[in-house]
Amino acid sequence: MDALSAVQLIGYGDRQLLKDSLGLVLPKTLDEKAAFDTCFDQFFSYRARTSLRSPTPPSAQDAATADRGDNTRDRAAEANDGTENRETEAGDGTQAGNSSAGSGEARGERSGRGQSSEATAAAREARESSEDVSPGEMPAPQSPLSRLLTRANSMEINIAINAAGQQVNVYQIELFTQKGVYTRRILEAMGHTALQEEIFSLSDSAAIPDRRLAQDLTRRRDWLRERIREYVEHQFLLHADVSGRRLRESLLRDLRLSSVEQRHHRLLRDLVQRMARKLVAAYSRRRKVFRRGHLHVPRTLRRNMKYDDAIFDLHWKSVKTDQPKVFAICDVSGSVANYARFMLMFLYSLEEVLPKVRSFAFSSDLGEITDLFARNDIDTAIALALRQYGSGSTDYGQALADFRKLCLDDLDRRTTVIILGDARNNYGDARTDVLKEIYDRARRVLWLNPEPRAIWDTGDSEMRHYIPYCHQAEECGTLAQLARVVDRLLRIGL
């Protein structure tokens, strides 16, 4: 609505003014501002490029004038290699003399193979470029594409290009190396083969009007190829970045989080936030689900007593879903330093989408970081959490005891406790008795371990002692594994 109001006020005659105005009302953050600038420039770049060139195919008169200018500029160069030109003309004359007898055979050969050989096509184009056919009458074009180009209606041509692009699914372009492939596919979808056959047939003709039309169609074909290249380039800018992002996201989902480079952290954060929002879509607010067919008889009778027992207002039973309470405990010690940032991203995302999340971090002593996340952006909050709680030696027993002291009384049957850590306790007291108390009070205790399941019971890992007091223990070293955990939570209820 703000964007439409801005356009209504300032119009769209001034490109920069339109961009500045929309930039004031649409993006709200620096990241959104950068995304808006990129989107605006890429979306309108096609019109900007085409406005610099002729919007319609060149007319026959303009093409002939251009050819005469080119011949004038090239006359000096042609004089230097006059011998070669004379030999070429002699060969061309012999070929023209035999064109009547060989044209039928050549057309038959082309119809059998679908197109002429590259050598023959190159020789024909070289002869066409060397010939200087004066402007004059031309026969009517025969193929649908040649008639479209001869009409020189830019609107019709643009519509045809777009239709052919949709036919070949140009929006699926992903790599810059596919530009030539899609350009050729669009040309073929528009009828390029028939146009080429017509040009070859006219070039082989001995009649001057036919060769004149062949040269005119060749120029229009080259113009069309250039327009299609620009169209494909525009589609690449619109869609390839999205596809490339999908590819990167797909790779990041299956990549061990310890291997993720710093430059991918922003994309990783977006993925985690989307996963967390799946929770809020089902559980973040109180909802009433009205189940038609389950009549609330007492309420219906009470509400209709004023109508002398006539039933006008029906009332249906409803199921009310309360907000869950989530307690998230994150190990940020050195043994999981590579995973700690990802884990804190997950906690931060839960803070944004679920209103009743209390977050805690520890290496030995445990502390609440809910307010820390509420006051700061994600990067600052993660840095502060790591600085305050990530320097000690890992002690899960002490962390569980601190959690019991802080909020054991707040746990009830609507509470989900999520523990993110590798359970490596440096051979200290595991305090499984505390975890058992949490297990008895909470609705669900979920343990997410970033290590492979095969090494959970090796070394100083306490997972074998903690698992009996967890409703669910999952390996969670990649985003794909986290997505599976979230999906399972959605199915069974948080």
Side-chain angles (χ1 to χ4, degrees):
M1 297 295 292
D2 293 340
L4 292 175
S5 299
V7 174
Q8 185 178 12
L9 286 174
I10 58 96
Y12 48 85
D14 189 325
R15 173 191 173 93
Q16 189 60 42
L17 180 60
L18 174 62
K19 180 179 180 180
D20 294 341
S21 302
L22 294 179
L24 291 174
V25 300
L26 286 177
K28 307 302 181 185
T29 65
L30 293 177
D31 290 342
E32 291 178 357
K33 178 68 175 176
F36 169 79
D37 290 340
T38 302
C39 179
F40 186 95
D41 292 337
Q42 289 185 358
F43 187 82
F44 291 104
S45 60
Y46 178 62
R47 292 183 179 275
R49 286 195 305 272
T50 54
S51 64
L52 299 178
R53 298 180 175 90
S54 174
T56 58
S59 64
Q61 183 177 358
D62 294 339
T65 303
D67 286 343
R68 285 197 296 271
D70 293 339
N71 291 336
T72 302
R73 288 190 299 269
D74 296 339
R75 195 164 296 153
E78 292 175 356
N80 294 332
D81 54 355
T83 304
E84 295 180 2
N85 284 345
R86 282 192 296 273
E87 293 175 355
T88 302
E89 291 172 359
D92 290 343
T94 304
Q95 183 176 355
N98 297 329
S99 61
S100 303
S103 59
E105 181 180 347
R107 283 192 295 270
E109 184 180 358
R110 282 194 299 270
S111 62
R113 291 198 309 261
Q115 59 180 4
S116 62
S117 64
E118 295 182 1
T120 305
R124 184 180 289 105
E125 291 181 0
R127 188 189 66 192
E128 292 171 1
S129 61
S130 64
E131 289 180 346
D132 184 12
V133 180
S134 59
E137 294 184 356
M138 294 182 295
Q142 300 300 317
S143 66
L145 183 55
S146 63
R147 291 196 297 268
L148 176 64
L149 293 176
T150 304
R151 288 197 297 271
N153 187 317
S154 59
M155 183 63 68
E156 287 186 64
I157 295 174
N158 288 335
I159 292 174
I161 292 175
N162 279 276
Q166 294 181 3
Q167 181 179 343
V168 302
N169 298 325
V170 69
Y171 57 85
Q172 295 180 354
I173 186 172
E174 297 181 2
L175 306 174
F176 72 93
T177 54
Q178 296 176 310
K179 294 179 183 178
V181 174
Y182 278 101
T183 299
R184 185 176 67 254
R185 289 179 180 176
I186 293 175
L187 276 170
E188 294 298 330
M190 294 182 68
H192 180 259
T193 301
L195 175 63
Q196 284 291 92
E197 290 292 330
E198 183 176 3
I199 292 176
F200 291 157
S201 176
L202 293 171
S203 300
D204 291 338
S205 175
I208 295 298
D210 290 345
R211 296 208 300 273
R212 187 181 293 130
L213 178 60
Q215 287 189 352
D216 181 63
L217 292 179
T218 300
R219 286 187 287 267
R220 294 176 187 273
R221 178 202 60 193
D222 296 340
W223 177 92
L224 176 65
R225 185 181 289 113
E226 184 65 22
R227 299 289 80 74
I228 293 176
R229 286 198 188 102
E230 292 185 352
Y231 170 78
V232 173
E233 175 73 20
H234 176 57
Q235 297 301 314
F236 174 78
L237 292 176
L238 285 179
H239 302 291
D241 285 346
V242 176
S243 300
R245 182 184 179 91
R246 292 196 193 104
L247 179 61
R248 291 193 300 272
E249 290 181 356
S250 177
L251 294 175
L252 285 177
R253 286 178 184 274
D254 297 317
L255 187 66
R256 277 277 161 189
L257 293 167
S258 58
S259 305
V260 176
E261 300 178 6
Q262 178 71 29
R263 59 193 177 96
H264 294 311
H265 281 178
R266 174 169 294 185
L267 182 58
L268 185 68
R269 182 185 66 190
D270 295 340
L271 287 173
V272 173
Q273 287 175 338
R274 287 206 298 272
M275 293 176 184
R277 289 193 184 99
K278 294 178 68 176
L279 296 174
V280 73
Y283 304 105
S284 66
R285 59 183 181 273
R286 295 169 65 93
R287 297 170 301 167
K288 290 183 178 180
V289 180
F290 290 91
R291 300 184 300 181
R292 297 303 296 266
H294 293 265
L295 184 65
H296 198 301
V297 177
R299 183 174 297 175
T300 299
L301 294 176
R302 285 197 303 269
R303 296 294 178 87
N304 288 276
M305 290 178 62
K306 56 186 175 181
Y307 302 123
D308 295 331
D309 296 331
I311 304 299
F312 288 101
D313 295 332
L314 300 179
H315 290 267
W316 308 92
K317 291 182 180 180
S318 61
V319 177
K320 184 171 61 178
T321 303
D322 291 327
Q323 294 175 340
K325 293 191 298 184
V326 179
F327 289 78
I329 305 171
C330 180
D331 179 5
V332 294
S333 60
S335 60
V336 289
N338 293 329
Y339 298 95
R341 177 173 292 274
F342 152 73
M343 295 176 178
L344 291 173
M345 283 182 185
F346 181 69
L347 294 185
Y348 188 93
S349 300
L350 289 180
E351 290 279 350
E352 288 187 344
V353 299
L354 292 176
K356 289 186 178 181
V357 176
R358 294 181 63 181
S359 301
F360 303 84
F362 75 94
S363 55
S364 57
D365 296 331
L366 179 140
E368 186 167 359
I369 56 175
T370 306
D371 293 338
L372 191 67
F373 281 168
R375 294 194 307 266
N376 301 279
D377 62 82
I378 184 171
D379 294 325
T380 304
I382 290 174
L384 291 174
L386 291 174
R387 186 181 307 123
Q388 293 180 20
Y389 299 100
S391 57
S393 177
T394 308
D395 190 343
Y396 275 81
Q398 180 63 43
L400 290 173
D402 291 341
F403 181 77
R404 175 186 183 183
K405 185 188 306 183
L406 289 173
C407 50
L408 184 64
D409 294 337
D410 296 330
L411 301 182
D412 55 33
R413 302 312 298 175
R414 295 188 296 115
T415 302
T416 296
V417 179
I418 302 175
I419 304 175
L420 305 103
D422 60 358
R424 295 197 173 274
N425 200 36
N426 292 320
Y427 301 100
D429 186 0
R431 295 301 305 270
T432 55
D433 58 314
V434 178
L435 186 60
K436 183 180 184 303
E437 289 189 60
I438 297 173
Y439 176 85
D440 293 336
R441 284 175 173 266
R443 178 185 180 185
R444 177 171 289 104
V445 176
L446 172 64
W447 196 298
L448 303 180
N449 193 322
E451 291 187 338
R453 189 180 291 268
I455 63 173
W456 279 7
D457 296 333
T458 61
D460 60 345
S461 175
E462 299 290 346
M463 280 303 294
R464 60 186 177 276
H465 298 134
Y466 287 142
I467 285 179
Y469 305 110
C470 296
H471 294 86
Q472 188 176 347
E474 298 288 345
E475 177 184 346
C476 194
T478 67
L479 290 182
Q481 293 169 345
L482 176 62
R484 286 194 291 270
V485 172
V486 172
D487 290 339
R488 191 175 296 113
L489 283 175
L490 291 177
R491 288 196 300 268
I492 65 178
L494 186 64

